């Protein structure tokens, strides 16, 4: 089995999720290339060393520019804050590396365009880690829609709720908290959480035609960890928007980090002519399904435990009835990426697909600024 030598940039939440996935994938999926944890990169040497030791990376770098130039790296994985995605991806593409980039693709559409251009020109395989597509129950929703089970789709409804930024004492900037700093994140819940909802929605329900949005920044100033000064907050703390899809369906999306009690409530529901589907991240192995064509008094919502061998991805795991979790969606991401290398049918979303999600995010923010409907 040939190796696929990974150069990892960052050592936080996603770097851990991806490193775990690279280590596991060849134990469970019949892949032809085996990911090898080659180089871990962090600016701080001790942190890079400690991360490399924990996960089994062979060596470290403290400068991502050096990592992307190394001959012993085949694929660069970008797990750094959003403001680094574009710069790193352009350099990695130029160096001829495959690129796996965390979401959102970029800070804005213009950066995203440059990234798509760069991977096209360099002809390097690329993928963006919108991992919720690869939760078996969500993949099953896609299969049901493609099989025509829902018929014409009328409604798409999604929300992603959290509550971790409600304290006014929480600073902006630095590890984890870069999400509150518009200079590092590009936007707030729109690029962070709604980007996931939009990616899933586009995958399941096609392209968005136009949006009408409102955003709010509830806490207007926070101390900045890097400057030590109290600075204006430039991100959206909450965002809700209406959308019209090209297939004629109507949609509502909502996200906030001010929904007390909710840590990561990502839910969506789709209503079609014949059937409806609902999914909840906190019951991620279940798909709720209602089919109007079921006859008689037993017609009703059924809750499908998506753990059988015939369900997407599940034949690679345990025996029917046993669940898998959040981290497995990343293992599936690597498995699909590797399969794409073998078959030539690139795993989705690639950079070009993720750029379409970035366009919707940008239209949402633009609509909120202008207070009117915006075409995507
Ligand atoms: N797919 C998902 O569900 C999901 C979940 C969380 C985060 N993300 C995305 O993943 C990316 C990283 O987020 P995270 O939660 O892992 O953040 P994090 O704060 O946990 O980790 C970010 C890492 O980047 C490192 N970093 C920053 N600047 C660097 C530089 N110049 N060189 C090398 N390393 C640098 C930091 O030291 C840190 O280790 C973001 O783009 C985020 O939007 C995606």
């Amino acid at each position: 089995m040939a190796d696929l030598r990974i150069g990892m940039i960052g050592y936080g939440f996603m770097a851990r999720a991806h490193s775990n996935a690279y280590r596991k994938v060849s134990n469970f999926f019949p892949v032809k290339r085996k990911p090898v944890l080659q180089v871990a990169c962090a600016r701080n040497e001790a942190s890079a060393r400690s991360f490399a030791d924990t996960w089994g990376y062979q060596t470290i770098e403290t400068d991502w520019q050096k990592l992307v130039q190394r001959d012993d790296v085949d694929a660069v994985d970008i797990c750094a804050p959003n403001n680094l995605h574009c710069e790193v991806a352009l350099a990695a593409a130029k160096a001829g590396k495959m690129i796996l980039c965390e979401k959102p693709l970029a800070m804005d559409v213009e950066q995203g365009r440059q990234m798509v251009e760069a991977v096209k020109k360099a002809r390097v395989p690329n993928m963006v880690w919108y991992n919720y597509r690869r939760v078996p129950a969500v993949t099953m929703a896609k299969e049901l829609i493609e099989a025509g089970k829902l018929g014409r789709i009328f409604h798409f409804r999604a929300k992603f709720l959290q509550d971790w930024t409600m304290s006014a004492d929480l600073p902006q900037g630095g590890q984890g908290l870069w999400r509150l700093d518009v200079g590092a994140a590009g936007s707030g819940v729109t690029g962070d959480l709604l980007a996931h909802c939009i990616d899933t929605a586009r995958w399941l329900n096609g392209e968005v035609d136009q949006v009408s949005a409102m955003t709010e920044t509830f806490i207007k100033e926070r101390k900045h960890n890097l400057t030590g000064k109290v600075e204006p907050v430039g991100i959206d703390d909450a965002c809700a928007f209406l959308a019209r899809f090209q297939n004629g369906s109507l949609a509502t999306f909502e996200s906030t980090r001010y929904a007390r009690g909710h840590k990561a409530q990502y839910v969506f529901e789709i209503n079609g002519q014949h059937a409806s589907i609902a999914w909840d991240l906190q019951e991620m192995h279940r798909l709720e399904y209602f089919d109007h064509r079921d006859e008689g008094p037993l017609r009703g919502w059924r809750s499908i435990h998506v753990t059988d061998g015939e369900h997407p991805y599940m034949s690679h795991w345990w025996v029917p009835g046993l669940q898998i979790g959040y981290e497995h969606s990343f293992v599936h991401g690597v498995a699909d990426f590797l399969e794409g290398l073998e078959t030539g049918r690139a795993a989705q979303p690639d950079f070009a697909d993720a750029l379409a999600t970035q366009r919707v995010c940008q239209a949402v923010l633009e609509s909120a600024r202008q207070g009117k409907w915006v075409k995507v």
Side-chain angles (χ1 to χ4, degrees):
M1 199 188 290
D3 288 348
L4 183 82
R5 297 163 299 178
I6 306 292
M8 171 64 68
I9 300 177
Y11 62 97
F13 177 19
M14 280 304 109
R16 295 171 65 234
H18 298 188
S19 299
N20 174 61
Y22 293 129
R23 287 178 64 122
K24 292 223 170 106
V25 68
S26 63
N27 298 128
F28 291 93
F29 288 79
V31 294
K32 296 228 166 59
R33 285 189 84 171
K34 183 178 178 180
V36 170
L37 301 183
Q38 192 74 14
V39 191
C41 171
R43 288 156 299 175
N44 177 292
E45 189 174 341
S47 305
R49 177 73 57 205
S50 155
F51 179 77
D53 289 347
T54 300
W55 289 97
Y57 283 85
Q58 309 207 344
T59 185
I60 62 162
E61 286 287 358
T62 53
D63 179 353
W64 65 261
Q65 311 255 15
K66 290 205 178 122
L67 180 144
V68 301
Q69 296 303 333
R70 287 181 69 119
D71 291 337
D72 61 353
V73 167
D74 302 311
V76 172
D77 190 345
I78 307 174
C79 288
N82 307 345
N83 59 336
L84 276 179
H85 293 189
C86 181
E87 199 184 350
V88 176
L90 297 189
K94 205 165 170 201
K97 309 297 184 195
M98 303 180 198
I99 311 172
L100 299 103
C101 182
E102 255 307 338
K103 48 59 57 181
L105 177 65
M107 297 284 274
D108 53 36
V109 169
E110 182 42 43
Q111 281 193 354
R113 250 195 229 120
Q114 290 177 36
M115 292 166 78
V116 169
E117 204 48 45
V119 291
K120 254 196 211 151
K121 191 169 162 211
R123 294 166 178 252
V124 289
N126 54 92
M127 186 179 85
V128 178
W129 293 91
Y130 279 109
N131 57 305
Y132 294 110
R133 291 188 184 199
R134 297 187 163 91
V135 172
V138 178
T139 313
M140 184 169 158
K142 170 78 169 168
E143 290 178 0
L144 293 173
I145 292 167
E146 285 196 336
K149 293 278 189 203
L150 272 65
R152 181 177 166 193
I153 291 176
F154 296 111
H155 293 288
F156 193 100
R157 223 168 276 118
K159 55 184 180 173
F160 204 143
L161 311 180
Q162 300 184 336
D163 72 353
W164 65 280
T165 65
M166 290 177 77
S167 165
D169 297 334
L170 198 68
Q172 54 176 316
Q175 182 97 359
L177 298 169
W178 58 265
R179 280 181 176 75
L180 304 186
D181 173 5
V182 72
S187 70
V189 294
T190 300
D192 193 28
L193 304 178
L194 284 172
H196 277 301
C197 304
I198 294 164
D199 173 73
T200 314
R202 290 184 45 251
W203 192 50
L204 297 177
N205 194 36
E207 295 303 331
V208 179
D209 180 53
Q210 48 186 297
V211 296
S212 174
M214 60 179 171
T215 57
E216 185 54 65
T217 305
F218 295 116
I219 293 178
K220 314 266 186 225
E221 292 185 322
R222 291 180 187 271
K223 193 180 136 205
H224 201 294
N225 271 330
L226 304 180
T227 63
K229 293 192 195 127
V230 173
E231 293 186 13
V233 173
I235 57 150
D236 42 306
D237 287 334
C239 174
F241 72 95
L242 305 176
R244 284 183 180 277
F245 277 72
Q246 287 180 6
N247 66 4
S249 61
L250 305 184
T252 62
F253 292 81
E254 184 196 2
S255 185
T256 177
R257 295 183 183 133
Y258 287 68
R260 182 59 87 208
H262 290 297
K263 307 303 168 187
Q265 194 200 37
Y266 176 17
V267 293
F268 66 75
E269 180 169 315
I270 311 169
N271 308 125
Q273 169 191 9
H274 306 303
S276 288
I277 278 174
W279 178 76
D280 177 347
L281 172 58
Q282 288 169 1
E283 299 287 338
M284 63 192 296
H285 50 280
R286 288 197 173 273
L287 192 68
E288 308 298 322
Y289 181 77
F290 177 96
D291 198 322
H292 186 68
R293 292 161 297 196
D294 292 345
E295 291 196 351
L298 288 178
R299 179 166 64 198
W301 281 89
R302 56 182 111 153
S303 179
I304 305 163
H305 198 235
V306 186
T307 55
D308 234 315
E310 64 193 353
H311 290 138
Y313 299 107
M314 291 309 296
S315 64
H316 297 281
W317 297 102
W318 317 115
V319 299
L322 300 187
Q323 288 153 214
I324 58 168
Y326 174 73
E327 69 274 29
H328 298 81
S329 63
F330 296 95
V331 181
H332 300 160
V334 183
D336 289 348
F337 181 76
L338 295 173
E339 190 185 308
L341 296 183
E342 282 164 35
T343 61
R345 287 189 302 279
Q348 297 297 319
D350 59 7
F351 279 21
D353 190 337
L355 176 58
T357 292
Q358 192 87 42
R359 282 208 173 89
V360 180
C361 290
Q362 195 147 312
V364 165
L365 294 169
E366 191 52 37
S367 164
R369 254 190 305 270
Q370 293 184 15
K372 49 185 188 199
W373 283 88
V374 168
K375 267 291 230 200
V376 176

